[in-house]
Amino acid sequence: MNEFVLALGWFGLYAPVALGAIGSAWGCALGGSAAIGAMLDTDGGYGRFIGVSLMPSSQVIYGIVIMFTLQHDAMTAEIGAATFGIGILSGFALLFTGVRQGEVLASAIHASKAKPEIFGVSLAPAAVLEGFSVFALVFALVLAGSIPG
């Protein structure tokens, strides 16, 4: 049983990076696709479309920070269980916020093609989703600090 918990601990250690990378890649692909489409329909302002399409890339950075925070000198059953719980749940939070952020950014890009003056305001929902990612990061760091050992 201890071997299984240790394996879960190692899985949980890498989960925030892997799941954050999936969320970042998926979200950036959604936003990037919308940005490329917007370039065909507009005569300028391409940089802002590309710039915001990269916003979901922060999820993988948060995942890397969580992984480094969860590292311990030795993996025990107690540390493994805690690492698995924190790692997998924070990783899924990063995955989902990255994907949803990409969807929101794609909508913002599409809307601002027709009405450029709403570009800044249309990014507010993506900023809220970024806040949820930061919450997952902060609370993962707080919980990681309470793991004994």
Side-chain angles (χ1 to χ4, degrees):
M1 181 63 169
N2 276 350
E3 290 81 16
F4 181 68
V5 175
L6 291 175
L8 288 178
W10 287 108
F11 180 78
L13 181 63
Y14 188 64
V17 176
L19 295 172
I22 293 167
S24 289
W26 198 337
C28 286
L30 291 168
S33 296
I36 292 167
M39 286 186 233
L40 293 173
D41 296 336
T42 58
D43 293 328
Y46 305 142
R48 66 183 178 157
F49 297 139
I50 293 297
V52 299
S53 72
L54 301 176
M55 199 172 175
S57 64
S58 60
Q59 276 72 7
V60 71
I61 296 167
Y62 300 152
I64 291 168
V65 172
I66 293 168
M67 181 197 69
F68 282 128
T69 305
L70 289 173
Q71 283 184 325
H72 285 82
D73 291 336
M75 185 73 72
T76 64
E78 185 178 43
I79 292 171
T83 301
F84 176 75
I86 296 168
I88 197 76
L89 292 174
S90 62
F92 275 120
L94 297 175
L95 168 69
F96 289 123
T97 56
V99 172
R100 293 301 188 181
Q101 195 174 53
E103 292 171 350
V104 167
L105 290 167
S107 295
I109 290 167
H110 286 305
S112 64
K113 287 188 307 187
K115 205 170 179 183
E117 64 272 11
I118 67 164
F119 182 73
V121 174
S122 68
L123 299 178
V128 171
L129 287 164
E130 187 71 24
F132 294 145
S133 295
V134 172
F135 289 154
L137 168 68
V138 169
F139 288 108
L141 297 179
V142 169
L143 289 173
S146 67
I147 297 174

